[in-house]
Amino acid sequence: MKTGLALPRAAQLALFRVGFYAIIAYECYAELYWVEDVYGEKAKFNFKYPLLPLPTPSVSTIYAILYTCIVSCIAASLGIYFMVFASLSFTTYSYLFLLEAERYNNHYYLTCIILFVFIFTSADRTFALRPQTDEDDEDVPSHEIATFRILFAIVYAYAGIAKLSRDWLS
C-alpha cells in the first residue's frame, strides 16, 4: 500500500525544474538592486578570484547579463527550448558568481552545479510549453533524479559534519 504523494519521475523532475528556475530568476531580479553599489561609481573594491581574473564589465553590461539570466531562467522554468535556456542560465549565473569573490557563498557553488546538471537532463518532458513528442510519454531515467539527490546529500552531509565543530556546538 502506497502512502503519500507518489509522482512519476518525470513529474518530480519537472516540478523541481519549475521551482528551481523560478527561484533563480527571482534571485537574479533581487540582485538588480546591488549592481550600482558593487560595480558602479560607488564601488571601492572588487575582489577577483585569483585563479580566474575575469575582466569587470560595465554596469550596463551587468544589467544586460542579469536580465538575460532572468529571461533564460523563466524560459527554462516553463520548458521552452530547455537545453538552450538551461545552458544560457548556467553561463550567465556562473559568470556573475565568478565575477566577484566578495559575494562568495557555498550555496552559489551548489546552484552553479545544479544549473550545469540540468543541461543534460530531460526535465522538460512534462509541464513544459513546447510541442509534445512520442518520447514525452516515457519516464525519465532514474539516474537523473538520483544525481540531484546525491548532490544535495553530499552538500548537507558535509555541512552537518562541519557543524560538529566546537564553535557550532558551544
Side-chain angles (χ1 to χ4, degrees):
M1 179 174 155
K2 289 186 177 181
T3 60
L5 183 62
L7 292 173
R9 287 190 305 260
Q12 292 175 21
L13 192 58
L15 287 174
F16 181 56
R17 178 201 79 218
V18 169
F20 182 76
Y21 279 103
I23 289 170
I24 299 302
Y26 176 75
E27 181 182 338
C28 289
Y29 174 75
E31 290 179 8
L32 288 170
Y33 297 103
W34 60 256
V35 171
E36 290 291 335
D37 294 335
V38 175
Y39 298 106
E41 295 175 9
K42 299 177 190 176
K44 295 179 180 163
F45 300 107
N46 283 87
F47 298 101
K48 307 252 185 240
Y49 284 96
L51 299 175
L52 191 65
L54 296 172
T56 304
S58 67
V59 173
S60 60
T61 305
I62 301 255
Y63 278 118
I65 293 169
L66 276 170
Y67 282 119
T68 303
C69 190
I70 292 168
V71 169
S72 64
C73 284
I74 290 170
S77 177
L78 296 174
I80 303 168
Y81 297 108
F82 179 70
M83 291 180 110
V84 173
F85 286 114
S87 302
L88 189 59
S89 59
F90 164 72
T91 305
T92 54
Y93 188 87
S94 299
Y95 178 74
L96 288 170
F97 170 65
L98 294 172
L99 197 57
E100 181 65 43
E102 177 190 15
R103 298 182 55 249
Y104 166 81
N105 187 336
N106 288 337
H107 292 84
Y108 290 163
Y109 283 118
L110 178 63
T111 303
C112 291
I113 291 170
I114 290 172
L115 286 169
F116 181 73
V117 170
F118 258 123
I119 296 169
F120 304 104
T121 64
S122 50
D124 62 336
R125 285 210 180 154
T126 187
F127 305 141
L129 298 179
R130 64 173 183 79
Q132 297 296 315
T133 63
D134 293 336
E135 195 177 84
D136 292 338
D137 295 334
E138 302 171 13
D139 208 1
V140 297
S142 59
H143 72 273
E144 291 184 6
I145 299 285
T147 302
F148 290 109
R149 289 180 179 167
I150 289 169
L151 283 172
F152 281 107
I154 290 170
V155 168
Y156 286 110
Y158 275 103
I161 291 169
K163 287 182 175 54
L164 291 176
S165 69
R166 187 174 289 189
D167 291 335
W168 279 94
L169 295 176
S170 59

